[in-house]
Amino acid sequence: MNASSSPALNPLKEGLSNRPLPRPCNVVIFGASGDLTSRKLIPALYNLEADGDLPATTRITGFARRPKTDETFRTELGAALTNFSRSGKQEDIWQDFSPRVHYHQSEFSNGEGYKELAQKLDKFDAENGTAGNRLFYLSVGPSEFEGILGKLAEYGLNKTREGAWARVIVEKPFGHDRSTAHALNEKVSHVFAEQDTYRIDHYLGKETAQNIMVLRFANSIFEPLWNHRYIDHIQITAAEPMGVEARGPYYESSGALRDMCQNHLTQILCLVAMEPPTDLSADSVRDEKLKVVRALRKYTPSEVAQNVVRAQYTAGAISGKEVLGYRAEDRVSPQSQTETYVAFRAFVDNWRWDGVPFYVRVGKRMPKHGTEIAIYFKDTPGVLFNAQQAGLGPNVLVIRIQPDEGISLRIQSKRPGSQLAIEPVKMDFHYKTSFGKPSPEAYERLLLDAMSGDATLFARRDEVDAAWTFIDCIEDAWHKNPVPPAMAEYPAGSWGPKEADDLLAKDGRSWRRL
Amino acid sequence: MAFDPSSLGLPVELSQISRTLNSLWDGPEQRTRACLLNLVVFSQGAENLAANTELISKFVRNHACRAILLGNSPLAKAQKASAWIQAHCHMTKAGAQEICSEQITLLAEGLSQNTVANMIMANLDYDLPLNLWWQGDLPENTDSPLWQRVDKLIIDSLDWHNPADNLLRLSQIRAHYGTRLTLADLNWTRTLSLRQAVALSFDLPALQRDLASIDRLEIYHAPDAKLTALLLTGWFAAQLSWQRAAGNGSALHFVSPTGAKIACVFVETHGEAISAVTLGSESSRLSLQREKGSPLLTATATSSEGSTVAHFPGGSGDSISLLNEEMMPGTQHKVYLKALKTLGTLLS
């Protein structure tokens, strides 16, 4: 059954479309032995169950190579749930939920495994009234995509009965550059239609990311100021204290720019910079985001040197413990030219953002964990208070994506007393205290949306393509240029290299302190 | 039964409510007060205050609020106003800060409507929306400063003793306060899962083709839930543009825009408020059933193309679930108002 038919065809749906209406389905997770399944996907599905949002007959099948029984799989997931579920693990809910979790052992290339999977899903459909609805989650490396997609098609798992749906969720990285992303998209599109392809970016599932549009378009005080006339510049930061951990080989082939900027930070930038969509349908929102990515100024190699800083962390200390430098990490080349930090100045060349720099930085081995957007408004005129007290500082609106999701606004206020002294103060909104309950995990929202057929928070093919076009300019300047810009260094536990500070300093600005 | 205020918290002088509430947050404990809305629960007499307190303690886990519970006994001989305060706290996860909502309980005995309104108004949290949950029959007179401040009126039409009278009062309230006041009927919410299941079932092409030629609607309802069944009928009629037609017996009759005659039959049966709904036409049939206590609705669709069975979330009919659902942002009322209008014609 297609949940997307309009009220014009089905007037009984009028007024019911404002909320996700997930249909019972079979969820199949490829790569179910991986961390993502136990840390994110199963806790998300469990919390949906706990909140009553998961249709009661939904079954989850983990597809992976390692031999395992249903019971072993459930036991492992149950143990992980205690650590990774935002609501902990309630035994009664787990007792209801876990029997609906299954394990299917097979090599990804083994046709017999898919044949048996199809039989298993048909059996579940018959038992549970899941009507043939299927959601495939590819929690595997990109090198496995083609093989899995091919087998799904070969065994007819991508096609389902009339009125039912089969969808695929694809994890990042979605390609290595524009051409590989294009090739990957081609492969996916041969098996699943674009409307059934959900390219997940978990940043978009975070409450604060979703709230950016609400903040901008549901509050009359911000949108009139949201342009080059009132905004001086914007800073987007994603910092984490973690190093590459066990992901050295992956990170070596990726780097901070591909790992974070092509997807998460570009998506965030789009939400900040986009024009209001004509409506809230998935394509209207994604059309507007696409316009932003396309308007991102593409740099020549010499402009890359002027506007982009790349760096690697050297030995330093995190949380009072000494840590290795990047090149000394496990399975990382001692001559590595992979960046663990990148900072750049971007421009969205359209009417609204003319001349407003977007400073973006992302790095590993930073002193603390935090992702945020800071909107710096222009200074007040240099008369009255601004004339009397130098350096009052601008108003800054900060949208904290993680952790401690919320919004704060820095304003100037008179310090109590007989003197006229002005101090910046913060108006602070915290999700967890204002609403009295924790935000759902990003994967909860995204899985529910995929089951409900709402692709608003997923990247569309042309968005991915346009984002790679922007990123490729930088990557090419680094790796295909006979005289590439130098790789800067920063000690682990610092806020990045001096060159990144200089990038802002030459514009008379500085990075926000987190 | 004697009134037992033990569950209502700390007794407090009316004039000291605000100060005493503030003192709750002065301690060194890791507690944060959260408040997004005012929820005033208006009930007759003192007997519902304990049950409403229990309900609020669950409600605040999803909706941080200042709850004001009022027990009103206007006919009491002696004039008296009593108040209690308490905080409902919960931790969002182990080791996290406690998040708390405040509850003020007021008992008004022998007091005028304006005095009661003043007691409530004086204790609202400022600049936050006011949700008034009016339990039981609606009042005849709603011309008070309190009503003028109400943003959302929550009712449960299933509690009405005389639905026709209450419907009239509701239309007067709507006429007086217009679109500023949002209406939330828990009885309407009670049908939400069913409406969603029906609506999604009609996405099946074979059933969708027959939507205009439905000729029979059967609703199986609990003996005390006839009004829920009628409201559901009002929804079908409003959404499918059925017009009431003369009829006889226990059935209601309608005519569709294509001229098809539709018979609506109501069957009393013990179980859920609505335990089953069947829609039929010459060539197809949709049956939705819910067993008592089951979390699922089972939809069986039969048409010339065969038979399919699907399950849908059944929702929960308890007060806290209904209230939580009603407080969800984005709840739409346009469809409800259309159904309500049709309900008016069915009751007349």
Side-chain angles (χ1 to χ4, degrees):
Chain A
M1 294 186 197
N2 173 12
S4 59
S5 87
S6 72
L9 290 171
N10 181 355
L12 297 173
K13 291 181 84 171
E14 186 186 359
L16 295 174
S17 59
N18 227 10
R19 310 185 45 190
L21 295 175
R23 301 294 316 280
C25 64
N26 278 300
V27 180
V28 181
I29 302 170
F30 287 92
S33 305
D35 273 357
L36 189 74
T37 304
S38 55
R39 285 172 180 250
K40 296 289 181 190
L41 301 181
I42 293 296
L45 290 161
Y46 167 85
N47 280 307
L48 288 173
E49 168 88 0
D51 288 347
D53 289 329
L54 189 72
T57 52
T58 300
R59 296 240 178 185
I60 299 128
T61 303
F63 188 120
R65 300 183 183 107
R66 290 179 207 165
K68 218 176 272 188
T69 62
D70 283 355
E71 268 321 304
T72 319
F73 188 47
R74 289 169 191 159
T75 306
E76 287 171 4
L77 296 177
L81 200 63
T82 314
N83 295 327
F84 300 117
S85 157
R86 68 174 163 84
S87 64
K89 179 187 170 195
Q90 277 180 262
E91 212 45 52
D92 54 336
I93 296 172
W94 179 248
Q95 290 308 323
D96 283 345
F97 177 77
S98 60
R100 285 155 37 210
V101 179
H102 306 268
Y103 189 77
H104 187 79
Q105 191 265 322
S106 170
E107 292 293 324
F108 296 137
S109 56
N110 179 5
E112 200 58 31
Y114 291 82
K115 191 174 163 190
E116 286 166 11
L117 176 69
Q119 289 164 352
K120 197 178 261 188
L121 297 183
D122 285 343
K123 178 171 162 275
F124 291 160
D125 284 340
E127 287 171 2
N128 302 306
T130 32
N133 296 325
R134 280 152 200 187
L135 181 64
F136 299 104
Y137 198 117
L138 303 194
S139 176
V140 293
S143 58
E144 305 283 4
F145 285 2
E146 187 175 6
I148 294 172
L149 290 166
K151 291 291 178 198
L152 287 175
E154 188 180 336
Y155 289 90
L157 285 155
N158 60 329
K159 300 269 187 299
T160 187
R161 65 188 73 153
E162 191 195 354
W165 47 260
R167 297 175 187 141
V168 65
I169 299 181
V170 187
E171 266 287 342
K172 71 153 192 169
F174 206 79
H176 186 72
D177 52 28
R178 189 174 173 227
S179 74
T180 52
H182 178 78
L184 201 52
N185 273 319
E186 281 298 301
K187 285 166 192 161
V188 176
S189 69
H190 283 125
V191 181
F192 290 95
E194 177 63 23
Q195 72 202 44
D196 294 322
T197 304
Y198 291 69
R199 297 173 192 85
I200 200 162
D201 184 333
H202 71 270
Y203 264 54
L204 293 183
K206 291 179 182 295
E207 285 292 337
T208 330
Q210 295 168 48
N211 197 33
I212 295 171
M213 281 210 329
V214 177
L215 178 83
R216 291 186 54 197
F217 304 132
N219 292 289
S220 59
I221 60 169
F222 295 119
E223 189 51 24
L225 310 179
W226 212 264
N227 55 55
H228 66 95
R229 283 187 290 278
Y230 298 99
I231 291 179
D232 179 71
H233 73 282
I234 291 171
Q235 295 186 16
I236 301 176
T237 301
E240 61 176 341
M242 275 186 9
V244 291
E245 313 295 314
R247 297 166 70 222
Y250 161 73
Y251 208 79
E252 275 285 89
S253 67
S254 170
L257 188 68
R258 288 193 182 102
D259 189 46
M260 291 292 290
C261 298
Q262 184 275 333
N263 36 62
H264 305 323
L265 298 190
T266 306
Q267 288 288 339
I268 296 289
L269 190 151
C270 287
L271 290 171
V272 173
M274 66 191 265
E275 295 299 316
T278 49
D279 56 51
L280 293 173
S281 68
D283 277 336
S284 293
V285 173
R286 297 189 295 182
D287 285 346
E288 295 305 331
K289 287 196 311 188
L290 176 63
K291 287 179 197 168
V292 176
V293 196
R294 285 184 173 160
L296 280 172
R297 190 178 298 171
K298 314 296 180 295
Y299 291 132
T300 62
S302 63
E303 287 171 333
V304 167
Q306 295 297 311
N307 291 284
V308 186
V309 172
R310 58 175 177 156
Q312 280 178 345
Y313 61 80
T314 55
I318 293 285
S319 304
K321 285 183 187 165
E322 289 187 6
V323 294
L324 298 171
Y326 177 67
R327 291 181 181 181
E329 297 272 19
D330 181 31
R331 291 180 290 167
V332 169
S333 161
Q335 287 82 40
S336 172
Q337 284 298 306
T338 301
E339 77 287 355
T340 61
Y341 175 99
V342 62
F344 61 84
R345 176 174 51 190
F347 289 94
V348 178
D349 285 330
N350 65 14
W351 187 282
R352 183 188 286 263
W353 296 113
D354 179 40
V356 178
F358 286 70
Y359 299 104
V360 179
R361 64 177 161 165
V362 53
K364 287 189 169 294
R365 289 289 190 224
M366 303 270 106
K368 63 198 249 195
H369 176 52
T371 303
E372 64 160 47
I373 304 153
I375 317 286
Y376 280 72
F377 290 89
K378 288 189 171 166
D379 275 335
T380 51
V383 293
L384 302 177
F385 304 115
N386 224 358
Q388 289 178 18
Q389 190 175 328
L392 270 185
N395 296 127
V396 183
L397 179 71
V398 176
I399 303 167
R400 288 186 304 276
I401 308 288
Q402 64 180 11
D404 190 19
E405 300 175 337
I407 295 169
S408 70
L409 178 63
R410 185 170 76 185
I411 57 173
Q412 304 298 335
S413 177
K414 180 184 172 299
R415 193 184 181 91
S418 54
Q419 277 189 318
L420 179 61
I422 296 174
E423 292 273 355
V425 292
K426 266 200 312 187
M427 294 165 68
D428 225 348
F429 153 62
H430 298 258
Y431 260 88
K432 66 182 175 194
T433 51
S434 293
F435 289 96
K437 62 174 188 174
S439 300
E441 287 283 333
Y443 279 95
E444 292 174 40
R445 169 68 195 260
L446 295 171
L447 284 167
L448 198 62
D449 280 2
M451 287 183 212
S452 310
D454 182 349
T456 311
L457 300 178
F458 295 83
R460 204 170 55 189
R461 178 176 179 163
D462 46 8
E463 279 182 87
V464 172
D465 187 69
W468 274 122
T469 305
F470 173 71
I471 296 296
D472 279 358
C473 294
I474 300 172
E475 289 285 352
D476 288 352
W478 287 348
H479 301 294
K480 294 183 182 170
N481 189 352
V483 193
M487 174 74 75
E489 292 182 340
Y490 62 102
S494 73
W495 277 109
K498 181 181 172 300
E499 288 83 347
D501 294 338
D502 293 344
L503 180 71
L504 269 72
K506 64 189 177 191
D507 292 343
R509 301 179 178 111
S510 58
W511 289 107
R512 212 178 100 78
R513 282 172 295 183
L514 262 70
Chain B
M1 202 165 73
F3 167 55
D4 174 15
S6 59
S7 65
L8 306 181
L10 184 70
V12 60
E13 285 292 319
L14 241 67
S15 60
Q16 297 299 310
I17 290 175
S18 181
R19 181 174 295 179
T20 319
L21 277 175
N22 286 339
S23 72
L24 291 179
W25 313 115
D26 286 345
E29 297 92 348
Q30 283 286 299
R31 300 198 305 183
T32 299
R33 171 185 173 272
C35 191
L36 287 173
L37 53 97
N38 292 289
L39 176 66
V40 174
V41 185
F42 196 106
S43 61
Q44 294 299 327
E47 54 266 31
N48 293 322
L49 292 176
N52 283 336
T53 297
E54 173 72 22
L55 209 133
I56 291 298
S57 70
K58 294 176 185 159
F59 175 77
V60 297
R61 299 182 76 87
N62 286 308
H63 305 279
C65 70
R66 173 173 286 187
I68 302 179
L69 273 52
L70 184 96
N72 190 31
S73 300
L75 302 178
K77 287 177 186 154
Q79 291 189 343
K80 188 180 171 191
S82 315
W84 297 262
I85 61 160
Q86 63 181 298
H88 298 289
C89 299
H90 65 279
M91 273 196 288
T92 53
K93 62 179 179 185
Q97 216 174 41
E98 274 194 302
I99 307 293
C100 304
S101 286
E102 298 165 335
Q103 178 184 315
I104 301 167
T105 308
L106 303 168
L107 179 60
E109 295 168 287
L111 301 177
S112 71
Q113 182 178 304
N114 277 347
T115 309
V116 172
N118 175 264
M119 283 166 63
I120 295 170
M121 301 268 290
N123 288 296
L124 295 175
D125 204 339
Y126 65 90
D127 204 24
L128 289 175
L130 169 54
N131 298 268
L132 172 60
W133 181 8
W134 193 279
Q135 296 182 332
D137 289 324
L138 287 165
E140 287 178 26
N141 181 5
T142 57
D143 192 13
S144 79
L146 175 67
W147 279 86
Q148 282 160 16
R149 268 212 56 186
V150 174
D151 297 287
K152 181 181 257 189
L153 173 63
I154 302 163
I155 55 171
D156 189 344
S157 58
L158 197 57
D159 290 344
W160 289 346
H161 292 102
N162 184 330
D165 280 358
N166 277 281
L167 213 51
L168 183 64
R169 286 176 202 168
L170 193 59
S171 67
Q172 287 165 347
I173 291 169
R174 288 192 49 236
H176 194 77
Y177 295 106
T179 53
R180 192 184 59 73
L181 186 144
T182 307
L183 200 53
D185 184 351
L186 302 186
N187 199 25
W188 173 247
T189 316
R190 203 167 271 124
T191 65
L192 177 64
S193 302
L194 201 79
R195 285 184 281 120
Q196 286 174 336
V198 171
L200 287 174
S201 297
F202 274 99
D203 272 347
L204 265 182
L207 287 187
Q208 202 170 90
R209 282 194 293 273
D210 286 348
L211 202 51
S213 49
I214 289 169
D215 57 20
R216 188 168 175 85
L217 166 66
E218 292 168 17
I219 299 180
Y220 295 77
H221 63 89
D224 59 356
K226 179 71 184 278
L227 198 68
T228 314
L230 285 172
L231 196 53
L232 191 62
T233 308
W235 173 64
F236 279 115
Q239 295 308 113
L240 301 176
S241 304
W242 297 347
Q243 295 298 318
R244 178 89 189 268
N248 51 38
S250 61
L252 285 172
H253 295 268
F254 294 90
V255 180
S256 77
T258 58
K261 291 181 180 168
I262 304 121
C264 299
V265 179
F266 302 92
V267 183
E268 276 191 15
T269 178
H270 291 280
E272 300 290 330
I274 305 287
S275 52
V277 171
T278 302
L279 289 137
S281 70
E282 258 186 32
S283 54
S284 63
R285 188 170 189 272
L286 172 70
S287 168
L288 287 113
Q289 264 192 310
R290 183 175 181 184
E291 301 303 331
K292 189 169 174 63
S294 166
L296 292 175
L297 279 162
T298 304
T300 310
T302 313
S303 68
S304 53
E305 293 172 19
S307 180
T308 60
V309 176
H311 293 298
F312 295 89
S316 172
D318 64 76
S319 298
I320 191 67
S321 304
L322 297 177
L323 196 57
N324 275 332
E325 186 63 50
E326 262 311 327
M327 301 309 285
M328 287 290 288
T331 306
Q332 294 191 11
H333 295 278
K334 198 174 92 181
V335 177
Y336 169 62
L337 294 176
K338 281 166 44 180
L340 200 64
K341 193 172 168 191
T342 312
L343 175 65
T345 67
L346 303 183
L347 291 172
S348 62

